[in-house]
Amino acid sequence: MESLKKIRVVVAIVVFVLAAVVFLDFTGHVPLVLTTLLGSLQLVPALAKLFTGLTFASFGFLFVVLLTVVFGRVYCSTICPLGTLQDIVIRLSGRIRRRRWYRHKDAPVAIHYALLVASAILAVAGSMALVDLLEPFSNFGRILTSLGDPILVSLNNAAAFIAGRLGIFGMYHVPLLHLQTMTVLLTLVFLGVLVYLSYKHGRLFCNLLCPVGALLSIISRISVFKLGIVEERCTDCGFCEMVCKANCIDAESKRIDFHACVGCYNCINACPTVAFKFEGLARRQAAATPTPVDEPRRAFFGAVLATASTMIFPRSNDGIVDTTKVVSYDQSRKTPVTPPGARNQDRFSNLCTACHLCISVCPPQVLSPSLFEYGLAGIMQPRMNYNAAYCTYECVLCTEVCPSGAILPLDIAAKKEVQLGRAGFIKDDCIVITKKKDCGACAEHCPTKAVKMVPYEGKLMLPELNNDICVGCGACEHACPTTPRKAIYVLANVVHQKAKKPQVQKLENPLETQKDFPF
C-alpha cells in the first residue's frame, strides 16, 4: 500500500514530461506514436473520437473508464497532465507556507454535475465552448503552446544568435507565427485561476469545474475497489484529513467521499497506524443503504447519447455564403478556413476540444487559435491563418495527431485533392492595376498552378484563376503584397470539396531532337 504513492508520482511525472515534450517540440523530432498514445489516454478527446468510429483512441478511452471502474479516479492523479501541474503548485505552496493542512469539505457536487450536464447540452446544440474552456488536456496544451512556446523559442533564438556570433551554426532561428494576443490573455487568466485554486484549495478545480473530473466522479461511485478506513486501527489523529488535497476525508466520522478522491494516496503515507485499505464491492453492498436516484448522472448520459448524432451527422449549412461567387476580402474573413481532414465546419467545431496539438506540430504555423471566428461555440479552436503562413502542399501532420477526431487522418495523395476553399480575386486591388507594376507572386507560389499569369496591357501580366484545381492552401494569399487587403485570397468551403488534379505538362527539350551534341 505504501508504494502506491511512489508509483503514482513516477507515472504522473513521466506522462507530464512526455506531454510537455509533445507540445513544446518545435523541431519535429517527436515520434508520431508518442503523440497518438498520449492523445488516446485523454478522456474527452478520446470520447469525441469514439463517435467517429472505433480507433486506437477508442481503446484508450475504454482503458481509462475501466481503470476508473476498478480503482476510482486515478486518472486525475496520474494520466492528466493538468492534474500534475496542480500538484506541482500544491507542492510549491507547501514549501512556501511550510505547513499546508487541509480540512474536509463536502464536494460541490451539484455545481460540478450541473456544469457537466451544461457542457453536454451545449455539445448537443453544436457548441463545444464550455468543454473547450474547462477540459484539462486542452487547457494544458494551450498553456504550453501559448505561454511555454514563446519562452522556449525565445531561449533557442537567443542561443542561436550568440552561437552565430561565435561562428557556430548548428542552431537556427525559429519564428513564432501562431500566437494570438487574446488567446494568450485567456490562457493567462485560466492559469491564474488554476494556480490560485491549487494554492489555496488544493484540487478544487478537479471537483468543481473540470468536466472530466465530474464524469469520473460519477463512474467512481460504482468502482469495484474503494479506499476505506479500518475503524479498529484508526486513532483519530487526523493526519489523513490534513494531507488530503481533495478535501474528501472526514477523519472524525472516518468517512471518505470516494467520488471526490483523486487517488493521490497522500493519506496512506501519512497514516501512522496503516488504517487505510481498499474495500471490495461485495463487502460494501452488504452494508449499503438505498440511495436516491442520481438525476444529474441520468441527465448526463442521456445528453451524451444525443451528442453522438450531432457529431456524426452534421447540421445543415443554410445561410452560408456561396464561395463560388467573388466577395470582398473583408467579407471572406467572416467564414474561417478549417484544417484539412475537418470535412466540414460543423463537424469540426462539434468535435474539436481546442487542445492546440495540431497548432504545436504545424511546421509552417499556418494553424492559429481563433477567437470568435467560429462564434462562441468554437472559441480558441484552430483556423487557417494565411496572413501568417500557408498550408504546405505535402504536409499531413495535423491530420495525424488530432486526439478527438475533429481532423481525420489523410495521406498525402488524398490531402492534395481536398479543397479547403477557393481563391477569390479582386482585379481593382491588384498592384498590376493600381501601380502598373509586374508582380506574379501569387502564380509563383501556387502549388497546383490554379493561378497563372495572362497578358493584360503591353508587357504586364494579370492573374487568372482556375478554381477547379485550387485546393485553398493560401499560398497565393500569403504571397500577395497588397495591403491592408489582399487582392487574391481564399474563400472558405464550409464543406470541403474535391479539387481536380492539375494537368502535368511535359516540358519540351530541344536536345532530344538532335542526334549529336550541339557543341
Side-chain angles (χ1 to χ4, degrees):
M1 288 284 287
E2 293 182 358
S3 62
L4 286 176
K5 181 179 178 179
K6 295 180 181 178
I7 296 172
R8 192 268 301 174
V9 170
V10 170
V11 173
I13 291 175
V14 170
V15 174
F16 181 84
V17 170
L18 292 179
V21 168
V22 166
F23 279 106
L24 293 176
D25 174 53
F26 56 85
T27 63
H29 290 138
V30 173
L32 178 61
V33 64
L34 175 60
T35 305
T36 304
L37 177 62
L38 181 69
S40 68
L41 292 175
Q42 305 308 317
L43 198 68
V44 170
L47 174 61
K49 199 163 191 175
L50 185 62
F51 294 131
T52 68
L54 195 62
T55 63
F56 181 75
S58 307
F59 294 102
F61 169 77
L62 295 175
F63 169 76
V64 173
V65 171
L66 181 62
L67 186 66
T68 307
V69 168
V70 177
F71 295 110
R73 293 171 57 181
V74 293
Y75 168 94
C76 300
S77 59
T78 55
I79 302 175
C80 178
L82 193 73
T84 304
L85 179 61
Q86 293 176 74
D87 286 343
I88 293 173
V89 174
I90 292 169
R91 180 76 173 178
L92 292 175
S93 72
R95 293 294 183 98
I96 295 171
R97 302 168 67 173
R98 296 195 177 182
R99 288 190 176 184
R100 186 71 171 86
W101 304 129
Y102 299 96
R103 289 289 181 267
H104 173 262
K105 297 176 183 177
D106 290 329
V109 175
I111 299 175
H112 203 196
Y113 288 0
L115 282 173
L116 179 63
V117 173
S119 301
I121 291 174
L122 285 175
V124 171
S127 171
M128 292 287 281
L130 200 53
V131 174
D132 293 349
L133 289 173
L134 298 177
E135 200 276 319
F137 180 70
S138 301
N139 275 293
F140 181 77
R142 290 196 293 269
I143 289 170
L144 292 190
T145 53
S146 298
L147 305 179
D149 252 0
I151 296 173
L152 187 62
V153 171
S154 297
L155 291 174
N156 171 82
N157 293 345
F161 175 78
I162 295 172
R165 289 300 181 95
L166 297 176
I168 303 171
F169 302 102
M171 303 181 71
Y172 56 91
H173 182 274
V174 178
L176 270 176
L177 305 176
H178 62 73
L179 290 183
Q180 302 289 316
T181 303
M182 286 304 299
T183 304
V184 172
L185 291 176
L186 287 173
T187 304
L188 278 171
V189 169
F190 175 84
L191 182 61
V193 171
L194 185 76
V195 169
Y196 173 79
L197 291 177
S198 302
Y199 185 82
K200 289 287 189 179
H201 306 286
R203 284 293 199 101
L204 181 59
F205 172 84
C206 303
N207 285 322
L208 175 64
L209 301 175
C210 179
V212 174
L215 177 57
L216 296 182
S217 172
I218 293 170
I219 298 174
S220 66
R221 291 176 182 272
I222 60 169
S223 294
V224 176
F225 298 102
K226 292 186 177 181
L227 199 62
I229 300 175
V230 182
E231 296 187 12
E232 295 80 10
R233 298 179 186 174
C234 181
T235 59
D236 297 325
C237 65
F239 286 160
C240 56
E241 181 177 338
M242 293 178 183
V243 299
C244 179
K245 54 195 174 189
N247 302 308
C248 65
I249 299 178
D250 186 350
E252 184 176 353
S253 62
K254 299 179 176 58
R255 177 174 59 89
I256 300 176
D257 300 330
F258 193 70
H259 62 276
C261 175
V262 296
C264 69
Y265 304 133
N266 286 352
C267 53
I268 295 176
N269 283 38
C271 182
T273 60
V274 196
F276 285 88
K277 72 171 184 177
F278 279 100
E279 297 177 344
L281 183 62
R283 180 175 176 179
R284 294 201 312 273
Q285 286 180 339
T289 57
T291 56
V293 175
D294 193 337
E295 292 297 337
R297 176 168 54 184
R298 176 178 293 180
F300 168 73
F301 282 113
V304 166
L305 291 175
T307 305
S309 62
T310 61
M311 290 181 171
I312 298 173
F313 304 104
R315 298 165 293 163
S316 64
N317 294 303
D318 298 336
I320 297 300
V321 175
D322 182 3
T323 57
T324 61
K325 299 179 181 179
V326 177
V327 297
S328 69
Y329 174 80
D330 296 331
Q331 180 70 21
S332 72
R333 304 301 93 178
K334 295 181 180 180
T335 305
V337 182
T338 50
R343 291 194 177 177
N344 65 74
Q345 184 174 311
D346 280 341
R347 181 191 174 280
F348 174 74
S349 191
N350 283 344
L351 288 169
C352 179
T353 63
C355 71
H356 291 185
L357 190 54
C358 57
I359 293 176
S360 70
V361 302
C362 180
Q365 299 186 52
V366 65
L367 285 173
S368 296
S370 65
L371 189 58
F372 299 118
E373 286 86 347
Y374 294 105
L376 285 173
I379 187 170
M380 289 191 286
Q381 291 177 346
R383 63 180 177 90
M384 307 296 275
N385 179 10
Y386 297 136
N387 285 327
Y390 60 91
C391 186
T392 307
Y393 192 49
E394 297 190 349
C395 176
V396 292
L397 280 178
C398 63
T399 75
E400 295 175 330
V401 302
C402 180
S404 69
I407 304 175
L408 293 175
L410 293 173
D411 57 32
I412 293 177
K415 191 247 184 173
K416 289 181 177 180
E417 296 182 359
V418 174
Q419 188 184 73
L420 310 178
R422 295 176 173 229
F425 177 55
I426 303 298
K427 183 172 68 172
D428 292 339
D429 288 344
C430 182
I431 64 172
V432 176
I433 303 295
T434 59
K435 297 185 179 181
K436 302 298 181 182
K437 291 183 178 180
D438 283 321
C439 182
C442 51
E444 291 175 4
H445 286 77
C446 179
T448 65
K449 300 308 173 187
V451 184
K452 67 176 182 179
M453 305 302 291
V454 297
Y456 172 58
E457 286 182 357
K459 295 183 180 180
L460 293 176
M461 307 284 282
L462 196 66
E464 183 180 78
L465 306 181
N466 178 7
N467 270 320
D468 290 339
I469 61 174
C470 176
V471 293
C473 67
C476 58
E477 178 179 328
H478 180 67
C480 182
T482 62
T483 56
R485 301 174 304 183
K486 302 288 187 177
I488 192 166
Y489 45 87
V490 176
L491 299 148
N493 283 342
V494 178
V495 178
H496 290 179
Q497 305 297 320
K498 186 174 182 179
K500 293 182 179 179
K501 292 183 179 180
Q503 293 182 352
V504 179
Q505 297 180 349
K506 184 178 180 181
L507 297 176
E508 294 183 1
N509 188 351
L511 296 179
E512 292 180 354
T513 61
Q514 300 181 11
K515 296 182 180 179
D516 301 320
F517 288 103
F519 53 85

